[in-house]
Amino acid sequence: MKKSEIRFSIALDDQKVPEAISWSATDAGPDIHFAKAINVAIWDRNQDGTMKIDLWTKDMPVDAMKYFVVDNIGAMAETIMTATNDVVMATKMRDLCRVLTDHIDEETKKQK
């Protein structure tokens, strides 16, 4: 059986706030990749529930964080469609993404 690993490395400041996030994966080649935020969700088979890790660097812009969350919801819509073929759930999630993107865009216009 082939195995694959994903590794995250988090550099913390004195207050334990992430300053840098990097990751590597056996299937992504030898390069180290950098990120400003990560969101990892794992379905724990023993707890029969979701375990999450949400981290972002202190220099992650607020508007980028909001788009990151919307992108995650959109990706989950694709996951639910692929895994369950639940068109209703996927459509509602995509609709939510459109509403949230409009909200972020409106906020951005007001700030300018």
Side-chain angles (χ1 to χ4, degrees):
M1 172 190 329
K2 181 180 188 295
K3 290 189 178 186
S4 183
E5 290 185 11
I6 301 170
R7 293 185 178 153
F8 294 99
S9 179
I10 315 300
L12 304 172
D13 68 10
D14 293 338
Q15 286 78 43
K16 298 184 180 178
V17 175
E19 287 189 323
I21 299 170
S22 62
W23 66 274
S24 62
T26 52
D27 289 347
D31 294 341
I32 295 174
H33 307 273
F34 295 91
K36 288 191 180 273
I38 61 171
N39 173 277
V40 178
I42 301 166
W43 185 261
D44 185 288
R45 66 180 181 185
N46 294 327
Q47 297 293 324
D48 202 26
T50 302
M51 308 205 47
K52 288 180 58 22
I53 300 170
D54 295 306
L55 295 172
W56 56 93
T57 59
K58 54 184 162 184
D59 67 337
M60 175 74 167
V62 171
D63 59 334
M65 185 64 171
K66 290 179 181 184
Y67 283 115
F68 176 63
V69 170
V70 173
D71 286 348
N72 271 288
I73 295 168
M76 288 189 297
E78 297 309 310
T79 298
I80 200 67
M81 190 65 195
T82 302
T84 69
N85 205 29
D86 189 329
V87 175
V88 172
M89 192 169 178
T91 300
K92 288 184 179 201
M93 293 171 78
R94 290 181 191 120
D95 290 345
L96 176 59
C97 288
R98 280 188 279 283
V99 169
L100 292 174
T101 298
D102 290 346
H103 166 70
I104 297 166
D105 291 346
E106 285 295 317
E107 278 188 331
T108 303
K109 285 180 189 176
K110 287 179 186 176
Q111 292 174 358
K112 290 183 178 182

